[in-house]
Amino acid sequence: MCSIIGYSGLDSAAPILVKGLQKMEYRGYDSVGIATESGKKIILKKGVGKVVEVNNSIMLDALPGNIGIGHTRWATHGKVTEKNAHPHSCNSGKIAIVHNGIIENFEELKSELQNKGYKFQSETDTEVIANLIQLNFDETMNIKQSIMKTVNQLKGHYSFVVIFEDGTLAAARFHEPLIVGVGKNSHYISSDVLGFIEKTDDAIYVDNEDFVIVDGSGIHIFDFDGTLVKYQITKVSKEFADVYKGDFAHFTLKEISEQPDTILRAIDNNQIEEFVDNIKQAKNLYITGSGTSYNAAEITKYLMSKFAKIKINTLISSELPFSPNEIEPNSTLITISQSGESADVLEAVKIAKESNAKILSIVNLLNSSLSQQSSLAIGLNCGPEIGVAATKSFTSQLSILYKICDQLCNGCINPDWEKVSSAISLILSNNSKVKEIAKNLRDVSDIYVLGRGIHLPIAKEAALKLKELTYIHAEGIPAGELKHGPLALMDSNVYVIIINPNDSTYNDTLNSANEIKARGAKIIGISDKKSSVYDYWIDIPSIDEALYPLIEIVPIQLLSYYSALEKKTDPDYPRNLAKSVTVK
Ligand code: BG6
């Protein structure tokens, strides 16, 4: 996924575009570029790397003009090169474009254009759109007509912003997010409110299959058939302006440190009862998500069956297209997604709706596509999460799911949330041991994480955090499966993290630790009970058996963060990843 932005107003566009892109950089950070209109000419600059680096080397924010577009890239088509960086201009140079998403029929369109004499500089699908708009504009000499013709020729999922040499901005949305910011004598077009939230909190969430034109006469929104669309201005909650690291070195550490507070904010939600009522009425229940959100879905399965005596089927969103009849007709699908924009999750919703499923969602961004497609969406209320690896959103998801399960079993879990919050504070304050251990992981290439029962999804989440932040090969393994294969991997070169709180799984998991120790592997024990089998013991506070998953992930978030620093990777913007992947 990439970030796209446009500005038209009285101020100098380039500094505004560069600032907006910096705020949205978690969406993609392979390359950056902007184009402005000045003196009826389009001026374009771009480069490989992060916004600050590229801006320092080629001064993007010095481009002249009050109208412009900008982009940060997460490469899908073509290598990470300057040629493939956006913006892309058409052959005449009179139009430039930035794009987020994928054009599935770009090769077909490209050869049609090449047959008409168009030349291509890059390997991207995006440059095809630029030349297609030029072709349609040259035929119609009308910007609205040229956009209408173009969107009706494109296949795939996309949103784009185009600048014409007369200073007109145009943008279109087909499944990818697109938001307009309405300022005083100015308009912003962006993938995310973060792109303009510092300038205005008046936003228009552009509907799917609509396009926008901003010119001297103001803003106009049309559907893809060219019919004028009425639009509504929404006030964006100011909490989304809070995208500062404060005294923290990285957003990831800041967001890990916010968890004692964010879990309490998550459960303070008056929609949970309605969510519970919907679950009680459900015939068949399914739950889905991607990445960290899928691990939260797996935890829910344990909680529902153990406490609420309810059967719920977990589905990996990206796998559902390959087993479409998985979902019974008229079922209920719970979807979990921090961003609410992950394409795999939206695709799963589309498939479920084909079987008339009801969609209940747990999201952090309440104006996201997923919320709009759900019959009920409840928010995490944990504020923006900028670090690409999900941390606070995970414990907020778990907190809401625990509260839902507790209500489904009439308070049989009865979580002491203050105790959970202070337990996390204690773990955060005792991070010196974690920092020590991180030094030992600097040259490690394989880490296995073991857990049993409800701790298995935590083991998988732990492995995911280690992969995302340190690039170490890490795997979450059911402790009981050790003897059936993974034990062959155990030797003195590997580290094994054992998730082993003092609960009903304790003794069995300790046996697994001894079997591993016997093969020479080094053991990191996450537990509230000390044991000589651990080479390194990370102590966690004792708490009710049911609640350990809410706290035992925190030391591993910290270990992954400090190991990333030891390995000199960028914790906030891990290579090849993006905060949410809006392409399938
Ligand atoms: C990935 C993120 O792109 O998407 C992960 O890097 C995240 O951190 C996953 O867990 C799912 O995203 P979401 O927004 O659907 O929860």
Side-chain angles (χ1 to χ4, degrees):
M1 113 172 137
C2 306
S3 66
I4 60 176
I5 191 166
Y7 169 79
S8 176
L10 305 178
D11 299 326
S12 174
I16 292 172
L17 297 169
V18 169
K19 203 102 195 288
L21 290 173
Q22 217 181 321
K23 295 270 178 237
M24 298 193 286
E25 196 157 26
Y26 66 88
R27 301 177 61 90
Y29 30 89
D30 290 329
S31 60
V32 55
I34 67 170
T36 57
E37 175 272 322
S38 176
K40 303 286 174 236
K41 287 243 165 311
I42 293 182
I43 305 155
L44 186 156
K45 265 192 181 177
K46 54 190 178 176
V48 170
K50 295 227 177 75
V51 176
V52 172
E53 298 154 16
V54 174
N55 190 38
N56 290 345
S57 64
I58 60 173
M59 296 192 296
L60 294 169
D61 56 8
L63 260 64
N66 309 104
I67 300 162
I69 60 174
H71 183 270
T72 66
R73 185 173 186 231
W74 185 69
T76 56
H77 288 77
K79 291 187 278 317
V80 176
T81 63
E82 189 181 325
K83 267 217 161 43
N84 291 333
H86 300 207
H88 290 282
S89 52
C90 63
N91 279 193
S92 68
K94 296 179 178 173
I95 298 165
I97 188 169
V98 290
H99 159 232
N100 170 33
I102 285 183
I103 305 301
E104 285 159 5
N105 61 338
F106 86 101
E107 271 150 335
E108 196 189 312
L109 294 168
K110 188 171 182 173
S111 47
E112 283 166 25
L113 288 160
Q114 282 168 324
N115 295 343
K116 292 191 169 75
Y118 281 83
K119 302 269 178 291
F120 288 83
Q121 315 299 324
S122 77
E123 303 161 282
T124 66
D125 50 349
T126 308
E127 197 182 358
V128 171
I129 314 174
N131 285 321
L132 196 56
I133 295 174
Q134 179 190 328
L135 177 76
N136 294 329
F137 182 76
D138 293 348
E139 283 170 6
T140 61
M141 296 315 289
N142 177 290
I143 289 178
K144 181 184 169 193
Q145 294 300 326
S146 67
I147 300 294
M148 277 170 63
K149 283 191 79 178
T150 302
V151 292
N152 287 300
Q153 291 167 290
L154 298 177
K155 293 199 176 67
H157 283 198
Y158 59 83
S159 57
F160 60 70
V161 190
V162 189
I163 183 169
F164 288 79
E165 67 171 3
D166 71 349
T168 300
L169 286 184
R173 176 185 184 203
F174 191 65
H175 291 293
E176 297 292 346
L178 193 72
I179 308 162
V180 171
V182 182
K184 204 156 162 296
N185 306 316
S186 58
H187 289 96
Y188 307 79
I189 301 174
S190 179
S191 307
D192 188 317
V193 291
L194 295 183
F196 57 73
I197 188 77
E198 276 195 0
K199 297 287 183 185
T200 175
D201 54 5
D202 287 333
I204 302 167
Y205 288 85
V206 180
D207 282 335
N208 200 31
E209 300 191 44
D210 280 0
F211 68 93
V212 181
I213 292 185
V214 178
D215 57 21
S217 64
I219 182 165
H220 317 276
I221 303 186
F222 307 93
D223 64 23
F224 278 10
D225 302 327
T227 313
L228 200 61
V229 170
K230 279 206 175 49
Y231 55 79
Q232 198 199 335
I233 296 183
T234 310
K235 266 271 178 255
V236 178
S237 93
K238 272 288 173 201
E239 75 167 338
F240 279 95
D242 168 28
V243 278
Y244 301 97
K245 279 182 257 186
D247 302 338
F248 292 92
H250 296 97
F251 283 107
T252 304
L253 184 61
K254 174 178 178 259
E255 288 150 9
I256 292 172
S257 311
E258 287 174 359
Q259 294 176 103
D261 174 49
T262 50
I263 59 158
L264 298 177
R265 281 170 35 196
I267 53 157
D268 176 18
N269 188 311
N270 55 21
Q271 287 181 299
I272 289 183
E273 238 163 271
E274 189 186 344
F275 205 97
V276 167
D277 291 345
N278 277 279
I279 292 176
K280 284 181 179 162
Q281 290 149 22
K283 197 159 60 70
N284 293 303
L285 259 181
Y286 301 84
I287 186 164
T288 191
S290 300
T292 292
S293 297
Y294 177 70
N295 292 329
E298 287 256 322
I299 298 256
T300 311
K301 182 181 175 119
Y302 284 91
L303 293 174
M304 288 275 194
S305 66
K306 182 165 182 182
F307 297 106
K309 312 277 182 286
I310 292 176
K311 185 172 173 353
I312 187 166
N313 302 294
T314 52
L315 304 166
I316 296 174
S317 298
S318 57
E319 281 299 311
L320 191 57
F322 309 100
S323 50
N325 304 322
E326 181 79 30
I327 296 186
E328 299 279 337
N330 308 315
S331 299
T332 295
L333 174 68
I334 298 174
T335 58
I336 306 180
S337 174
Q338 188 280 135
S339 62
E341 298 293 353
S342 292
D344 293 322
V345 178
L346 296 173
E347 183 70 13
V349 166
K350 186 162 150 272
I351 293 168
K353 280 188 168 180
E354 284 155 10
S355 321
N356 196 29
K358 178 191 279 187
I359 310 297
L360 306 176
S361 296
I362 300 175
V363 292
N364 196 21
L365 304 184
L366 274 172
N367 282 299
S368 59
S369 308
L370 180 58
S371 321
Q372 288 159 13
Q373 296 172 26
S374 307
S375 51
L376 176 62
I378 54 179
L380 297 181
N381 194 19
C382 67
E385 187 174 64
I386 305 297
V388 166
T391 53
K392 63 176 180 177
S393 63
F394 180 60
T395 50
S396 294
Q397 289 164 347
L398 292 189
S399 303
I400 287 177
L401 291 157
Y402 265 84
K403 186 137 188 200
I404 289 168
C405 290
D406 187 48
Q407 288 194 8
L408 284 167
C409 67
N410 305 318
C412 70
I413 306 174
N414 186 23
D416 178 339
W417 291 109
E418 286 302 331
K419 198 165 176 198
V420 174
S421 173
S422 48
I424 295 178
S425 299
L426 203 57
I427 292 169
L428 292 171
S429 58
N430 287 343
N431 62 13
S432 54
K433 174 73 75 59
V434 172
K435 284 183 184 169
E436 266 320 294
I437 298 170
K439 290 197 173 73
N440 298 289
L441 300 183
R442 197 178 298 139
D443 306 317
V444 169
S445 55
D446 301 285
I447 297 181
Y448 301 95
V449 190
L450 262 62
R452 243 178 238 284
I454 198 167
H455 308 299
L456 174 56
I458 293 292
K460 291 181 179 170
E461 175 58 13
L464 181 59
K465 287 286 109 30
L466 286 162
K467 286 178 194 139
E468 288 174 312
L469 292 173
T470 71
Y471 314 157
I472 295 173
H473 161 244
E475 215 176 307
I477 299 174
E481 286 304 300
L482 192 66
K483 304 183 282 301
H484 307 298
L487 197 58
L489 300 166
M490 303 301 159
D491 62 24
S492 57
N493 299 319
V494 300
Y495 274 69
V496 181
I497 297 175
I498 306 277
I499 313 274
N500 199 15
N502 188 13
D503 66 4
S504 53
T505 65
Y506 182 78
N507 292 327
D508 291 338
T509 305
L510 203 62
N511 291 341
S512 308
N514 280 302
E515 285 154 13
I516 293 166
K517 184 89 177 194
R519 272 73 190 179
K522 295 189 189 53
I523 299 196
I524 301 169
I526 309 272
S527 179
D528 48 338
K529 193 171 172 185
K530 190 171 182 171
S531 165
S532 58
V533 73
Y534 304 144
D535 297 280
Y536 308 93
W537 173 39
I538 298 177
D539 183 11
I540 57 172
S542 294
I543 201 165
D544 291 4
E545 168 149 354
L547 306 178
Y548 278 114
L550 286 159
I551 68 169
E552 63 196 8
I553 188 59
V554 178
I556 298 168
Q557 293 169 343
L558 285 171
L559 183 62
S560 304
Y561 172 75
Y562 287 115
S563 304
L565 299 187
E566 291 293 334
K567 293 177 77 82
K568 304 209 175 344
T569 67
D570 182 336
D572 285 346
Y573 304 114
R575 69 185 182 197
N576 308 340
L577 298 180
K579 185 63 192 166
S580 87
V581 178
T582 59
V583 290
K584 280 191 290 178

